[in-house]
Amino acid sequence: MPASQTSEKLSFTSTNESAPAVDLREALLTGQAPDGGLYMPSRFPRLSKDELESFRGKPYHEIAADVIGRFATGIIDPALLAELCGDAYNFPVPLEQVFDRVYVMRLDRGPTASFKDFAARMMARLISQFLREDRRELTILTATSGDTGSAVASAFHGLPGIRVVVLFPIGEVSTRQRKQMTTLGGNITAIAVDGKFDDCQAMVKRAFGDADLRRIPLSSANSINIGRLIPQSVYYFHAWSRLTNGDEPIVICTPSGNFGNMMGAVFAREMGMPVKRIVVPVNENDEIPRFLATETYATVEPSVACLSNAMNVGNPSNLARLAAIYGGKIDAKGVTHRAPDLKALRRDIFSTSISDGRTRSTIVSAWKKHKLLLEPHGAVGWAGFEDYIAQEPLNGLPAVVVETAHPAKFPDEIERNLGFTPEVPDSLSALESLPEKCERMRADYDAFKEYLKNNF
Ligand SMILES: *Cc1c(COP(=O)(O)O)cnc(C)c1O
């Protein structure tokens, strides 16, 4: 066993700092900490230079087993974890060269064609394993602005002992995204809410804290669950291992909404991976770039409905975690109890807001200049990356820009801007003919609560 891997169980503590520490298993199964905070590892496992170097020759699923295993010592047998990783990560993770040492990493080859498959497929397998060991059942509530719900629903579909309830804002998801949630049936219930993503998220959060619902064992699978973040650090190690030499740092650019994906990059850096900068472009929900610029955090309420709909978040949950890494304490409402080290945050992170107009023009320019096909989320990422290199040239360093969804999930926007429709992967085309089933609900907590009480 490498020196940095001890047999000691890693503990997880709440960002609100007043809940007992738990292990990974407990953190995964409960989702949110009882004090309303989010779980964070009490320390980050560090990888040595040699351990990082060893990733260069490994296939993706082996890097995953190594990285995830460091958070799961004493929780799951390494051989079983390796098997689960092999099963979860059975699709490619392409790095597409754009120019020089700048690459786009396409995280859209999983069954629901979004990066959320990476975390959802791992969490589903781990949770299912834990439930089997405990002979327990669980209901997973998840709010989605598009892709979480489908990835989670797909990952848990058909697993015994688990029911999934997905809430989505009816007017903010594409037809394909909706169909990915409403055509599964079985243990998956889809609820279309007449409201915004933030309404859906608030309904779910309230249900977790509601004493009247205690008898239903609830868990969350959206980006508040620490089980989402750990697998999301793996693809940054993958990119680094393929694109760098020696201990060269990499620039990472991740289009962001709830900041779970970019936290994967922060985790990788905390574990010792050399990172030059983490660039986090957002759409017109610009609370984070404003926070970095003005040092005052203010949520965007209501959130702005942009083309990159999975990033329409006016108060990202994971800000609490980002703040915690920088010594701060920010609660779920966005209230600052202790300011994070803003100087350090600015040194490590570059954030910028991209308008819908710029998103569209970037879909066009990326295609014309580089034959790079991007959907709106990836276009926000690419535009933000262009802003970044205009201010801080790469000087020969490698960079990876993350494309978070498959262009075929947004055929109208591609057709309108580029004049053709992207090729549809088999995973999505299979949905067209399936019947849809879903509940329709007002953005009203009491209606949701009644529904849960009557049906679960
Ligand atoms: C969820 C999602 C995002 C935003 O990711 P966060 O982790 O919430 O920042 C970006 N793009 C797509 C396609 C998504 O589904």
Side-chain angles (χ1 to χ4, degrees):
M1 196 183 279
S4 62
Q5 252 177 310
T6 64
S7 54
E8 198 187 317
K9 252 195 208 180
L10 187 61
S11 66
F12 291 78
T13 52
S14 167
T15 53
N16 280 2
E17 302 176 359
S18 52
V22 298
D23 64 15
L24 180 63
R25 181 191 177 106
E26 172 93 20
L28 267 172
L29 291 173
T30 50
Q32 195 168 13
D35 63 358
L38 307 186
Y39 284 119
M40 278 291 275
S42 56
R43 62 176 174 83
F44 281 93
R46 294 284 296 189
L47 279 81
S48 70
K49 257 188 181 180
D50 287 347
E51 287 167 340
L52 282 167
E53 198 58 35
S54 76
F55 288 173
R56 299 196 191 281
K58 283 187 182 165
Y60 189 92
H61 65 94
E62 285 182 21
I63 300 176
D66 187 318
V67 172
I68 298 166
R70 286 161 200 265
F71 291 90
T73 312
I75 299 294
I76 186 162
D77 171 53
L80 176 59
L81 179 62
E83 198 181 302
L84 298 183
C85 287
D87 186 49
Y89 302 121
N90 58 359
F91 51 87
V93 188
L95 287 155
E96 180 179 322
Q97 189 189 19
V98 186
F99 63 85
D100 300 341
R101 298 183 78 191
V102 176
Y103 288 75
V104 161
M105 178 160 58
R106 296 204 178 264
L107 300 179
D108 59 3
R109 303 297 153 97
T112 73
S114 104
F115 85 89
K116 302 220 168 67
D117 285 326
F118 285 83
R121 287 172 69 76
M122 197 64 235
M123 272 185 68
R125 282 161 180 76
L126 287 174
I127 289 178
S128 165
Q129 175 66 28
F130 297 153
L131 290 174
R132 224 184 345 254
E133 289 168 10
D134 293 356
R135 298 167 194 242
R136 277 171 56 196
E137 301 206 330
L138 203 60
T139 297
I140 289 177
L141 299 184
T142 187
T144 183
S145 54
D147 285 339
T148 307
S150 48
V152 168
S154 154
F156 284 99
H157 186 220
L159 289 182
I162 298 176
R163 295 180 70 176
V164 177
V165 180
V166 194
L167 280 75
F168 64 91
I170 183 80
E172 292 182 16
V173 303
S174 73
T175 306
R176 278 214 174 94
Q177 284 176 323
R178 191 189 68 235
K179 284 192 177 177
Q180 286 180 311
M181 297 180 271
T182 58
T183 56
L184 290 165
N187 61 333
I188 311 296
T189 303
I191 300 182
V193 174
D194 289 304
K196 293 177 171 288
F197 167 67
D198 294 329
D199 297 318
C200 299
Q201 182 148 278
M203 286 158 82
V204 165
K205 277 189 181 166
R206 247 182 100 178
F208 287 120
D210 192 332
D212 295 347
L213 298 175
R214 279 281 137 79
R215 68 168 180 82
I216 312 172
L218 296 175
S219 181
S220 77
N222 53 356
S223 51
I224 64 180
N225 195 310
I226 188 70
R228 285 280 300 279
L229 300 199
I230 295 167
Q232 287 174 184
S233 67
V234 176
Y235 37 73
Y236 297 106
F237 285 107
H238 164 77
W240 180 87
S241 74
R242 268 57 176 176
L243 302 180
T244 63
N245 301 306
D247 53 8
E248 207 175 29
I250 191 169
V251 169
I252 291 168
C253 175
T254 305
S256 294
N258 227 345
F259 279 62
N261 196 357
M262 72 79 70
M263 281 304 291
V266 174
F267 275 34
R269 194 195 52 209
E270 293 295 314
M271 293 175 79
M273 191 183 97
V275 177
K276 162 90 172 150
R277 275 269 222 172
I278 300 174
V279 181
V280 277
V282 297
N283 61 25
E284 293 171 32
N285 295 282
D286 63 348
E287 61 278 359
I288 297 298
R290 270 192 299 108
F291 175 47
L292 291 177
T294 65
E295 309 200 354
T296 308
Y297 181 65
T299 61
V300 173
E301 286 175 80
S303 56
V304 188
C306 295
L307 294 175
S308 46
N309 61 20
M311 308 197 309
N312 293 340
V313 182
N315 180 24
S317 308
N318 284 297
L319 177 59
R321 288 192 169 112
L322 186 61
I325 287 194
Y326 288 87
K329 183 179 169 192
I330 298 182
D331 70 19
K333 291 202 174 74
V335 177
T336 304
H337 299 269
R338 191 172 63 242
D341 180 349
L342 262 142
K343 217 171 120 207
L345 260 173
R346 286 203 190 109
R347 181 195 61 216
D348 294 344
I349 287 163
F350 175 95
S351 189
T352 176
S353 166
I354 304 297
S355 68
D356 272 359
R358 179 95 188 277
T359 304
R360 289 202 168 99
S361 66
T362 301
I363 291 176
V364 176
S365 63
W367 180 249
K368 284 205 172 134
K369 257 200 238 165
H370 305 294
K371 281 281 170 291
L372 172 64
L373 184 59
L374 298 171
E375 52 68 58
H377 305 82
V380 168
W382 187 256
F385 177 70
E386 289 184 325
D387 286 357
Y388 166 70
I389 53 175
Q391 283 195 23
E392 198 168 278
L394 291 170
N395 291 330
L397 283 183
V400 64
V401 182
V402 170
E403 172 54 291
T404 50
H406 196 287
K409 289 185 104 167
F410 302 87
D412 301 346
E413 214 44 58
I414 306 287
E415 164 80 44
R416 190 171 305 135
N417 292 291
L418 300 181
F420 63 85
T421 33
E423 204 176 311
V424 183
D426 294 345
S427 56
L428 298 181
S429 59
L431 296 172
E432 298 301 336
S433 54
L434 296 175
E436 290 189 75
K437 187 161 178 267
C438 94
E439 303 287 332
R440 183 89 185 242
M441 204 174 277
R442 285 167 292 130
D444 170 21
Y445 177 68
D446 290 328
F448 181 48
K449 178 174 175 170
E450 274 315 297
Y451 179 82
L452 289 176
K453 278 166 86 177
N454 294 338
N455 290 279
F456 289 86

